[in-house]
Amino acid sequence: MFDPVIAPSGTLLGLLQRGRGDGTLHALTAPRAEALAALNHCVLRDPRHDWQVENRSLYYARLFLDLGGELDEIEAHLFEVDDVFDTEESRTGLALAVLGHLASYGRRDALELLRRYAASGSNWAWALDELALRDDDAGLRALAAPVLARFATDPEGEAELAVTVRDAFEPRPWRLWADDPRESVSTRVRAAQEAGCFDRWQRQMRPAGPRPGWSVQAVFEWAQQGIERGAALHVPAARCLTAVAGPEDRQEILMAAKDGTDGARSTALRYLADSNDPDAFDLIESAVATGSPTVVEAALDSFERMRSVAAVDRARGWARRPDPLGAAAGRMLACLGGAQDRDPVLAALREAVRGEGPDAPTLWTLVDGTGRLGIVCAAPVLRHIYRETASSHLRGRAARALAATDPSFATGFAVECLWDCEETTREIAARHAETGDARVVERLRRLAADPAEEAEVQTAVRSRIGPDAAAM
């Protein structure tokens, strides 16, 4: 997927792209045409860096409802000629998910648009999944013929259909079509279901990878073969070593961790770290200094997985290093350190923001650790991360850390978090937002009554307003 261009955080577009609660609040007070233009820009040009884990669809659907937005631009996007040539799910997935939520809110035009796209669009499987959750049986039955027509009736087409049925995210349409009164439909779907089940059984009977009885050297060779194919296998290979290696193999493993191939070295480091071997620390330090990027990454990851007292002590010694090992040590202290480690964790947090910006991957762990350790003086940095990061997940972590470190959180960011795109962030807000603000009370009522809201959020809301929410 393309790398999205994110507008500045102080603009309406930038707020909506980030999924911030302030985006909705600003859109509702902006000129309607301007707000709808920014909203459509986000829906048609997915702003998420990781579209598979970050939430935006319910956030955008709710704003479409509040603005009374039409679906003309979404329709044009779905059915334009690019849909034939660019079949990546990321091009249309967000728009289809927004339509799904709108359909669940009773927007008939969204439901009809999903049906049309499922019948003729390239990303039809996603549209069908959305309909599986929202459409009635009659609507789904009407799609059986156009969906099955996508698959040729020759052996290759039937095999492709079997894989599609086997891997379907939402099985409801296929189960419905298997009982369809039209024999041409039900016969093909049942045959595909049976073929998919048989294929799954065959794969289970032919597992790939190491077998009991392999030697340590064979495991190392398997890990290296994975690297040569572009697949990192050192983690499962380390688990295999646990099964096949004995005390007599320790010297061979130590030698591999010191100067083996990339696959062997990564595997040995992971095995030694997981075993809390006393030589693991020196070998990890050496690997970071002399290893390839693959080995360095494996060494750092192996170290950060360690949970022993000795590992924390070593992290305290490494935390001031101006290199990747020092950064890893800071993250370990954020996870496992005590009150005496607040200064190095805060220093690591500040250095990460200065050096890599508010979207640095290392910030996830450091932000969590800042909240866990209650580093009050970190609040200004956390507020900066909250405002500027393009990651809605990292913003949610910053909100949680601010709830533990910033006395102004309940009357500040917690209020806008009630409109955030991430349910975990809305849950934090529901537990902390100051109810003296009239907007908070009204928003809590709405979340409590919204059937699309997550159960965890509604539980948090009920803990604040009680069972008589309607009387507030």
Side-chain angles (χ1 to χ4, degrees), residues 27 29-38 64 66-70:
T29 59
R32 182 172 178 273
E34 177 186 343
L36 283 174
F64 258 112
D66 290 339
L67 294 173
E70 300 299 327

Side-chain angles (χ1 to χ4, degrees), residues 151-186:
F151 302 92
T153 55
D154 58 16
E156 184 178 344
E158 297 297 351
E160 184 183 352
L161 175 61
V163 171
T164 300
V165 174
R166 183 196 70 200
D167 297 338
F169 190 74
E170 293 291 344
R172 180 185 163 216
W174 301 102
R175 291 173 180 169
L176 192 66
W177 298 341
D179 295 328
D180 196 285
R182 293 167 292 181
E183 188 173 348
S184 60
V185 171
S186 57

Side-chain angles (χ1 to χ4, degrees), residues 177-256:
W177 298 341
D179 295 328
D180 196 285
R182 293 167 292 181
E183 188 173 348
S184 60
V185 171
S186 57
T187 300
R188 286 194 76 188
V189 174
R190 286 174 184 169
Q193 289 175 327
E194 292 172 1
C197 291
F198 181 69
D199 178 63
R200 187 178 293 110
W201 174 79
Q202 283 186 313
R203 288 191 297 172
Q204 291 172 344
M205 295 298 290
R206 296 195 303 266
R211 303 285 194 280
W214 270 28
S215 66
V216 168
Q217 184 58 38
V219 173
F220 287 152
E221 291 173 358
W222 179 65
Q224 181 60 26
Q225 291 167 7
I227 286 181
E228 293 168 358
R229 297 195 309 269
L233 297 178
H234 65 278
V235 174
R239 290 197 293 268
C240 291
L241 278 188
T242 302
V244 305
E248 68 278 7
D249 299 306
R250 181 173 181 271
Q251 194 59 39
E252 181 180 359
I253 296 172
L254 290 174
M255 291 301 297

Side-chain angles (χ1 to χ4, degrees), residues 395-458:
R395 183 177 63 252
R397 290 171 180 256
R400 184 178 295 108
L402 284 167
T405 60
D406 186 359
S408 69
F409 177 71
T411 57
F413 285 139
V415 175
E416 76 155 276
C417 285
L418 288 169
W419 284 265
D420 197 87
C421 66
E422 297 290 345
E423 65 267 18
T424 51
T425 307
R426 296 195 298 274
E427 181 184 354
I428 294 168
R431 297 190 184 280
H432 292 91
E434 176 55 59
T435 55
D437 188 324
R439 295 176 302 168
V440 171
V441 174
E442 179 57 33
R443 184 60 176 171
L444 290 175
R445 285 178 183 160
R446 185 168 178 178
L447 293 177
D450 191 338
E453 188 51 79
E454 296 292 333
E456 292 80 1
V457 178
Q458 293 191 325

Side-chain angles (χ1 to χ4, degrees), residues 81-404:
V81 68
D82 283 354
D83 193 61
V84 177
F85 302 103
D86 185 357
T87 58
E88 290 293 327
E89 289 184 333
S90 56
R91 193 189 81 84
T92 54
L94 179 57
L96 294 171
V98 169
L99 290 177
H101 284 299
L102 289 173
S104 69
Y105 281 118
R107 285 283 295 261
R108 186 75 185 182
D109 54 346
L111 183 66
E112 295 293 344
L113 201 49
L114 281 172
R115 288 173 175 172
R116 283 179 53 205
Y117 189 81
S120 61
S122 65
N123 194 10
W124 62 271
W126 191 313
L128 186 61
D129 286 339
E130 297 292 340
L131 290 167
L133 298 173
R134 282 118 180 164
D135 208 353
D136 55 28
D137 287 356
L140 290 174
R141 285 195 184 97
L143 291 170
V147 168
L148 291 178
R150 295 175 178 275
F151 302 92
T153 55
D154 58 16
E156 184 178 344
E158 297 297 351
E160 184 183 352
L161 175 61
V163 171
T164 300
V165 174
R166 183 196 70 200
D167 297 338
F169 190 74
E170 293 291 344
R172 180 185 163 216
W174 301 102
R175 291 173 180 169
L176 192 66
W177 298 341
D179 295 328
D180 196 285
R182 293 167 292 181
E183 188 173 348
S184 60
V185 171
S186 57
T187 300
R188 286 194 76 188
V189 174
R190 286 174 184 169
Q193 289 175 327
E194 292 172 1
C197 291
F198 181 69
D199 178 63
R200 187 178 293 110
W201 174 79
Q202 283 186 313
R203 288 191 297 172
Q204 291 172 344
M205 295 298 290
R206 296 195 303 266
R211 303 285 194 280
W214 270 28
S215 66
V216 168
Q217 184 58 38
V219 173
F220 287 152
E221 291 173 358
W222 179 65
Q224 181 60 26
Q225 291 167 7
I227 286 181
E228 293 168 358
R229 297 195 309 269
L233 297 178
H234 65 278
V235 174
R239 290 197 293 268
C240 291
L241 278 188
T242 302
V244 305
E248 68 278 7
D249 299 306
R250 181 173 181 271
Q251 194 59 39
E252 181 180 359
I253 296 172
L254 290 174
M255 291 301 297
K258 183 178 180 181
D259 55 13
T261 64
D262 283 1
R265 197 172 186 184
S266 300
T267 300
L269 289 169
R270 179 66 169 243
Y271 170 81
L272 293 170
D274 287 352
S275 305
N276 289 316
D277 190 284
D279 288 331
F281 299 117
D282 291 340
L283 289 168
I284 287 171
E285 187 173 17
S286 175
V288 171
T290 65
S292 68
T294 298
V295 171
V296 170
E297 182 179 356
L300 295 174
D301 184 59
S302 298
F303 172 65
E304 289 186 62
R305 283 175 50 83
M306 300 180 77
R307 292 295 182 266
S308 65
V309 173
V312 175
D313 287 341
R314 185 60 68 101
R316 288 177 177 135
W318 285 343
R320 300 296 183 183
R321 292 176 56 136
D323 64 1
L325 192 53
R331 292 191 293 270
M332 175 173 282
L333 294 179
C335 292
L336 303 175
Q340 70 271 35
D341 300 308
R342 289 174 176 169
D343 287 345
V345 171
L346 177 59
L349 179 73
R350 288 171 171 164
E351 181 59 31
V353 172
R354 279 196 301 264
E356 302 178 59
D359 292 312
T362 189
L363 287 176
W364 292 52
T365 302
L366 294 173
V367 165
D368 285 349
T370 301
R372 183 183 71 84
L373 295 172
I375 307 176
V376 175
C377 58
V381 182
L382 294 172
R383 288 194 289 266
H384 173 76
I385 295 169
Y386 177 97
R387 293 189 188 97
E388 298 300 328
T389 182
S391 167
S392 54
H393 279 189
L394 179 55
R395 183 177 63 252
R397 290 171 180 256
R400 184 178 295 108
L402 284 167

